[in-house]
Each structure stands twice: as structure tokens, then as C-alpha cells.
Amino acid sequence: MLTTANLSVELALDQFRRLVASLQVARARRGADPWSDCPMTMSQLRALSLIVAAQHGVSSRELATLLGVGASAITPLVDRLVDHGFVRRLEDQHDRRIARLYATEAGSAALEGMLAGKGDVMREVLATLSEDQLMLVRSAFDVLQAGLQHAAMQGRDN
């Protein structure tokens, strides 16, 4: 049985899915589908997104845990990202046995290109909104970001 709160969440998720689908269709119609010439596999893209998000770098062990794969799968995955120039390995400042992974500018740009798309459809749509509408959209993004941070903090407490 769905409660009112659960129904509201499901309706919001449905709106989000429709928005993402519409954005993908708009990009495809403009020939701006970023997936068409992605230089990475899906696994590499997932790994890169986690490395980019890690503010202080991430160890291979941490990355394996986040991806839910074994340590033996991480080395070749990261090697490919390093070969592409998307990631660099740096010695951990506190433990020289550990190499921390950091995104390069090229890696961050590649991920941003995948998220934004070549035609930057979202920028064009946002440019058509009034200042009040843009403030509303930015406020909604702030609320979502705060919710993500709250969920992450609760996950650490459990």
C-alpha cells in the first residue's frame, strides 16, 4: 500500500524519468547524443564518475568497493583510464603503499561532456526560462543536493 508520501516520491521519480528521456530524445534529434562516441566502456565511465566525485582522491580498494567488484578487476579498469589520460595515480601522503586516484582535467571534461551532451540542450532550455523560473530550478537542485548529502551522512551512521 502506497502512502501519500510514497506516492509523491513515485510521482517525482516518474517526472524525473520523463525529463531524462525527453532530454535524450532532444539530443539524439540534434545529433548531440554523447553516448554515440563515448571513448569509454560503461564500467570505465562509472569508475571515472566516482573518481571525479571523490574530493580527496580514492584508492583502488575504495573504488572496488564502490563499484561492487573485486580488486583484480580494478587494476585493468584504472589502467585504461590512465592510458586515456582521464585519471592519474598519486602516492598517498600518509601511506606510500597506497596510490590514490584523481581525475585529470581531461577526465573531468570527458565526464562533463557525457553529462551535458555535445549540443548542450539543457543550456538552451534553461536559457529560455525567466529569471524566476531559473531561481526555482536552482532552488530545486539545491534541495536535491542537500537531500543527497543528508542520505550520504545517514549511510555513514548506519
Side-chain angles (χ1 to χ4, degrees):
M1 180 171 136
L2 282 178
T3 65
T4 304
N6 288 343
L7 181 59
S8 288
V9 167
E10 291 304 315
L11 290 172
L13 285 172
D14 186 54
Q15 285 179 285
F16 178 74
R17 284 188 285 266
R18 285 184 288 149
L19 173 65
V20 170
S22 295
L23 182 59
Q24 198 63 17
V25 167
R27 286 176 173 161
R29 284 187 178 143
R30 295 174 184 214
D33 182 6
W35 299 102
S36 62
D37 60 354
C38 178
M40 293 170 270
T41 65
M42 187 58 74
S43 296
Q44 292 167 350
L45 188 60
R46 286 183 61 219
L48 180 61
S49 69
L50 293 168
I51 295 167
V52 168
Q55 295 175 0
H56 303 291
V58 63
S59 71
S60 292
R61 178 176 289 170
E62 293 165 336
L63 185 60
T65 299
L66 290 169
L67 291 172
V69 300
S72 62
I74 288 299
T75 300
L77 180 71
V78 171
D79 285 346
R80 299 274 188 300
L81 291 172
V82 170
D83 291 346
H84 283 304
F86 296 148
V87 170
R88 67 180 184 274
R89 291 182 177 102
L90 295 176
E91 188 178 277
D92 186 279
Q93 294 177 353
H94 305 292
D95 187 344
R96 293 183 353 195
R97 297 170 297 172
I98 298 172
R100 299 200 69 75
L101 306 170
Y102 296 89
T104 63
E105 286 186 33
S108 294
L111 183 63
E112 177 63 28
M114 290 301 299
L115 296 175
K118 292 182 276 185
D120 210 356
V121 173
M122 198 57 147
R123 172 174 277 130
E124 292 175 22
V125 170
L126 290 171
T128 67
L129 301 180
S130 70
E131 197 58 41
D132 287 344
Q133 290 170 321
L134 281 171
M135 285 177 55
L136 181 63
V137 169
R138 290 176 41 220
S139 293
F141 289 153
D142 287 342
V143 168
L144 289 171
Q145 183 67 34
L148 286 169
Q149 289 171 346
H150 178 73
M153 294 303 287
Q154 282 190 326
R156 288 186 202 149
D157 294 341
N158 292 335

